[in-house]
Amino acid sequence: MDMNAEILARAIGARVRQERKTRGWTLDQLAESAGLSRRMLVNVEQGAANPSVGTLLNLSAALGVGLPALVEPPARRSAKPTRSGEGAVLWTGEFGGQGVLVASTGQPDIVELWDWTLAPGDRHESKEHSAGTRELLQVHSGSVRVAAGGEAYELGPGDALSFHGDLPHSYAATGTEPARFSLAVFEPGAGSARRIENTHD
């Protein structure tokens, strides 16, 4: 991992450990709830692993907190700027693409703003998010194929798409040049259903 990735991994690990201990859970309890191996969870908490977006989503659902809460400290101001290069890199493609979380709101209704770059050949598969999740995507450069809800959409510069994020979906670069797009994710009541479930365990 590079220095920025190491800092992010340590921050995520500390937050996951804090949330787990706040709930009085053992490593085994959280690992089982999140569908992860105990070894993977230990690596995440120690900052020794750079967890995938899927792993982070599993942990956020199990802990009943939104994804942004795992990758940044609680905001202390009403406005929080994110300078260029300061976003959390949460996905890296096989050919050099990146998915960067640049801004977000707090719970219960979470909105995330992502800056995505897909190198030629890059593809990102995403499992379904929580019920009611919607995504808005706009292409800035290059060409992107978005598969969602059993349909595929070819998008070029300036094109936009809104779709249901509570179904499996994917993004893929289809041209010979890198593709860049902004993605907004609206996840209403993120983690609330899981929190209610956990209070009855």
Side-chain angles (χ1 to χ4, degrees), residues 132-148:
T133 299
R134 300 293 181 268
E135 301 196 15
L136 305 171
L137 181 153
Q138 185 177 32
V139 178
H140 302 302
S141 60
S143 56
V144 179
R145 177 184 294 114
V146 180

Side-chain angles (χ1 to χ4, degrees), residues 11-85:
I12 291 171
R15 188 59 184 265
V16 169
R17 184 167 58 253
Q18 176 190 19
E19 294 288 346
R20 176 177 62 80
K21 290 187 174 181
T22 296
R23 289 156 179 76
W25 289 2
T26 65
L27 284 163
D28 289 331
Q29 285 174 312
L30 178 54
E32 181 179 357
S33 183
L36 304 175
S37 69
R38 188 180 193 279
R39 181 178 181 83
M40 170 57 76
L41 180 56
V42 168
N43 286 339
V44 168
E45 288 198 358
Q46 291 179 344
N50 190 5
S52 67
V53 174
T55 296
L56 290 173
L57 287 171
N58 287 345
L59 286 168
S60 70
L63 292 167
V65 299
L67 175 61
L70 294 182
V71 300
E72 63 180 22
R76 296 184 179 179
R77 296 179 291 182
S78 58
K80 180 183 179 298
T82 302
R83 305 300 181 189
S84 178

Side-chain angles (χ1 to χ4, degrees), residues 176-199:
T176 58
E177 299 295 327
R180 186 175 181 187
F181 60 91
S182 293
L183 179 71
V185 181
F186 170 62
E187 193 171 7
S192 58
R194 190 72 195 192
R195 285 196 298 276
I196 293 170
E197 177 185 319
N198 286 336
T199 61

Side-chain angles (χ1 to χ4, degrees), residues 6 35-37 58 78 85 96 98-99 102-103 109 151 161 173 179:
E6 288 180 8
L36 304 175
S37 69
N58 287 345
S78 58
Q98 289 188 327
V102 294
D109 298 326
E151 301 286 341
L161 179 69

